Amino acid sequence: MLKQDADGGEKPRPAHEYRAVTVLLVLYFIQGVALSFFGAALPLLFLAVKASAKDLAILTFISYPFSFKLLFAPLMDTYFSRRIGKRKTYILPTQYIFAALQYGLSFYIDDIVLRHQVGLATAVGFISVLIVAIQDVAVDGWALTLLHPANLSLGATCQSLGQILGGVIAFNVFIDLNSTEFCMKWFGTAAILSAGAFLRILAVVTLIVTLLIHFLQPETQVGPSEFSGLRSTLRSFKGFFLNKHTRWFLLFVLTLRVGFMPVEASSTLLLIERGFHKEHISSMTIYLTLANLLSSYIAGVALRGKSYIKALFRLYLGKFPVHLIAFLILINVNIDHFSLWYYLVLFAMVLVQCIQAPSFLTVSSIVGSVCEEEVGGLYMTTLYSAINLGVKIAESVTLVLLGFLPFNLVFVLGLIYSAVFYLIWRRRVSSWADLPKDEWRITTHIRANGKKE
C-alpha cells in the first residue's frame, strides 16, 4: 500500500528500494571491513607479538583520515566527471586502487606484523583508510540521489548496519579464524585464515563489487554543481570560528573524551599483558556491540523531549563510578581464575559501553538540534569530524602517556582531568540549552564579515 507524502505525492515503501539499499549496504560493508581490520584487528595482531603502548599510540594514526574528511569533501563536490557521475567519479577509482593495494599488501602483511614493523603498518594502514574515507564522502553523497527522497533515512541505516557487519567480519570472524587455539578447538587444525589471505579475499570482493557498480548501477545525472567554486565553499568554514558558540563547541568536543580514555583505550593492552588471548577479546566485542545498540536505542527513546545538555552532564558524572569499577577490575585480573575474570571484565566493559553509547548519542543530538539547514552538509561534516578527531586525540594522548607512566597513574590523572573539565565547562555548556537556534547560525556571521570586507 502506498503512503502519502505531506505534499500529496506517493511515497514508495522501502521494499521498492531494494537495489539502492543493497548497493549502499555493500559499499558501507567494505568500509566496515577496512576500518575494523586496520583500526582494531591489526593492533590486536601486534599485541599478540608483544607490542607496547607506544606502538599502539603510533597505530592510532591509521584512523585519522576519517577525522579530516571535511578537507577534501569540497574538492569532491566541485570537481567531477558528468559522464561517469558525480559520486562514481570517486567511488570507482578509490575502490579499484583499494583492491589493488590490499592485494599487493596481502603478500607482506604477515611478515610486517612478525617483524614488528609498526611504522610501515601505520603507513599502509593510513593510506588504506584515507582511500576509504574518500569513498565514504562519495557514498554519503550518492545516498541522497540513489534513494527516493521519502526514504533518505535508510541511508543512515545502511551505513550503520553495513559498517557493523563489516566490523564483525574483519574483527570477530577474522581474529577467531586467525587463532590457532580457536581453530584447534573447533576444527582440529591450525589457524585457518592468515592476515594475508584475508586481505586477498577483501581485494577480490572489492574488485567484484566495483565492477558490478561500474557497469550495472547507473548514477542520476546532475546539473551544475551546487558550489560556485572552491573559494566560496572554503569561505564557509570561517563561520564556525566567527560564531563564538560553534567555536566553543568545537573546542568542547575536541577535549571531551580525554579524561576517561585510559580505560577505553588501554583495556585490550592490559588484558593481553595479563594472559588473555586475542580470541577472548574478539568474543567480547559481540556482547559490546549488542550493548551499544541496546543502550543507544533505550537512550534515544528516553531522551525524546528532554534536554540533551542535562542528559550529557548526567552521563558524564555517571562515568566516574563506572570507569572506577572497570579500573579496579582491570588491575586485578587473575588469569588463574580465567572464567571468573572473563565475565567480570565483560561486565565492566559492558558498563563502560552502556554509558559511552548514550553519551555519544547526546552529543550527536546536540549537533542535529543546532545544525543550520542552509549549509547542513558542511555543518554536519565539520562538527562530526571534530568529534571523531577528539576521540583520536584522546586515544593517542592516553597511549603515549602509557608508554612512560604506569596505568594506575594515567587513570588517576584522567580522573583529575575529567573533574576539572566538568567544573570548567559546566556553566558554559549549560547556557547552550537556552540559546535559540539562530544563535548557532554560521551564514549570518559569514555574510556580516563579508560586508565588512
Side-chain angles (χ1 to χ4, degrees), residues 315-353:
L315 288 166
Y316 194 83
L317 291 175
K319 286 185 176 184
F320 283 93
V322 166
H323 280 249
L324 181 59
I325 291 170
F327 166 75
L328 293 173
I329 290 175
L330 287 172
I331 63 173
N332 288 293
V333 168
N334 186 346
I335 197 64
D336 294 333
H337 302 89
F338 175 76
S339 296
L340 171 63
W341 284 102
Y342 176 88
Y343 289 108
L344 283 174
V345 169
L346 179 59
F347 169 74
M349 293 299 100
V350 167
L351 274 183
V352 171
Q353 192 64 54

Side-chain angles (χ1 to χ4, degrees), residues 261-312:
M261 192 54 70
V263 166
E264 297 176 34
S266 59
S267 57
T268 299
L269 173 62
L270 291 170
L271 293 175
I272 292 290
E273 289 178 348
R274 283 162 172 75
F276 274 61
H277 295 168
K278 58 186 180 182
E279 59 271 15
H280 301 145
I281 296 169
S282 171
S283 66
M284 287 184 184
T285 60
I286 300 222
Y287 299 103
L288 297 181
T289 299
L290 292 174
N292 186 326
L293 294 173
L294 183 60
S295 59
S296 295
Y297 173 76
I298 293 173
V301 173
L303 284 172
R304 289 174 185 170
K306 304 291 180 60
S307 169
Y308 300 132
I309 299 293
K310 291 180 180 178
L312 176 62

Side-chain angles (χ1 to χ4, degrees), residues 127-187:
I127 293 171
S128 298
V129 172
L130 175 61
I131 294 170
V132 171
I134 295 172
Q135 183 254 32
D136 178 64
V137 173
V139 175
D140 287 347
W142 198 12
L144 299 176
T145 55
L146 196 58
L147 294 166
H148 187 279
N151 292 328
L152 288 179
S153 61
L154 287 175
T157 303
C158 291
Q159 182 181 46
S160 178
L161 184 58
Q163 290 185 353
I164 288 174
L165 290 175
V168 169
I169 295 298
F171 190 77
N172 300 93
V173 175
F174 165 67
I175 291 298
D176 285 342
L177 296 182
N178 182 256
S179 167
T180 297
E181 182 178 329
F182 178 89
C183 292
M184 286 296 295
K185 178 180 179 180
W186 294 100
F187 308 113

Side-chain angles (χ1 to χ4, degrees), residues 21 49 60 111 166 202:
V21 167
V49 293
T60 61
D111 284 339
L202 175 59

